[in-house]
Amino acid sequence: MPAQQFSHRCTITGETALDALAAVSSLPKQRLKDAMNKGAVWLKRPGTHRRLRRATTPLLAGDELTLHYDAAVLALVPPTATLIADEKAYSVWNKPPGLLAQGTQSGDHCALLRIAEQQLQRECYLVHRLDREAEGLMMIAHTSKAAAALSALFAREGEDSIHKMYRVEVRGKVADAGEITIELDGKAALTRFRLLEWLPEQGSSLVKVELVTGRKHQIRRHFAEIGHPVLGDPAYGSNNKDARGLQLKAVQLDFSCPLTRQPRCYFLL
């Protein structure tokens, strides 16, 4: 079944979300409950526009329900994310490749934000992103205060920002160390790298990368620009296909915590 959208505007206070959606979509109620639980249903009423998960929620006159039904999305099984550290106000996770940072309008069960919310039973706020195809460390805030402070930290650039390190495999042999300063989207961008290992059999280099600025897809675009695209990158570079997928892993977050003023370092081997 192709993706479909069903909408309902409530005129009678008290009807349930499940009954309303069943009437407009003709889908089985069990399938609708699954779609709601996975974040495919949205409720719009004055002052709010949010996902609606509870099938028995009574509607108010004027409420608008929208179901973004995509059977292919709802059938996906999320890869397993690993909790690295629980600092109460925030948590740090190892996001596997294939897992979204946050959901789409068609669902959020394959998103780290929702998985963390279910596992920790706390509010979850996104403070930065990691590409769906990429693997590695991601931080999630659990209070509005932590979300504001950590978002500001990730937005900063320079020595008082968060230091983000990646392990990346790129096509060809790169220099022992270097900087890439090619502008991206009309803005200054700086990527530093150091060669960890030359892999002659694969014709590739394993490099440690420090992301100094935070432009969209910066590492992937920068290495493609200098002729050493990231292996397995579906969007940038050529002759860099890899059956293993995107060879980019966020391996270290090093910063002064804006909540405790204490140094923090999280890393993956």
Side-chain angles (χ1 to χ4, degrees), residues 107-127:
D108 63 353
H109 69 294
C110 288
L112 180 60
L113 208 63
R114 175 60 175 163
I115 289 169
E117 182 181 70
Q118 290 179 303
Q119 185 167 324
L120 298 179
Q121 293 296 299
R122 276 180 244 156
E123 291 290 326
C124 290
Y125 302 85
L126 194 71
V127 295

Side-chain angles (χ1 to χ4, degrees), residues 76-81 96 98-99 109-111 115:
L76 293 173
V77 177
T80 302
L99 192 67
H109 69 294
C110 288
I115 289 169

Side-chain angles (χ1 to χ4, degrees), residues 169-171 204 229-233 240-242 244-247:
E169 189 176 345
V170 302
R171 193 192 72 200
S204 61
V230 178
L231 293 188
D233 192 332
N240 58 328
K241 289 184 178 180
D242 195 299
R244 298 171 296 170
L246 183 70
Q247 295 304 292

Side-chain angles (χ1 to χ4, degrees), residues 45-80:
R45 65 172 48 150
T48 185
H49 187 205
R50 60 181 176 84
R51 296 185 200 272
L52 183 66
R53 302 185 195 276
R54 199 161 145 260
T56 56
T57 297
L59 301 177
L60 303 177
D63 282 353
E64 294 181 30
L65 278 182
T66 305
L67 165 62
H68 300 278
Y69 191 82
D70 189 328
V73 170
L74 296 173
L76 293 173
V77 177
T80 302

Side-chain angles (χ1 to χ4, degrees), residues 6 17 27 54 62 66 83 90 156 179 181 194 207 222 260:
F6 302 96
L27 291 168
R54 199 161 145 260
T66 305
L83 179 63
Y90 66 90
R156 265 188 235 132
E179 293 185 347
T181 58
R194 177 169 59 86
V207 293
H222 260 176
T260 65

Side-chain angles (χ1 to χ4, degrees), residues 233-255:
D233 192 332
Y236 304 101
S238 58
N239 300 317
N240 58 328
K241 289 184 178 180
D242 195 299
R244 298 171 296 170
L246 183 70
Q247 295 304 292
L248 187 155
K249 185 174 184 179
V251 295
Q252 187 171 324
L253 295 173
D254 191 356
F255 59 99

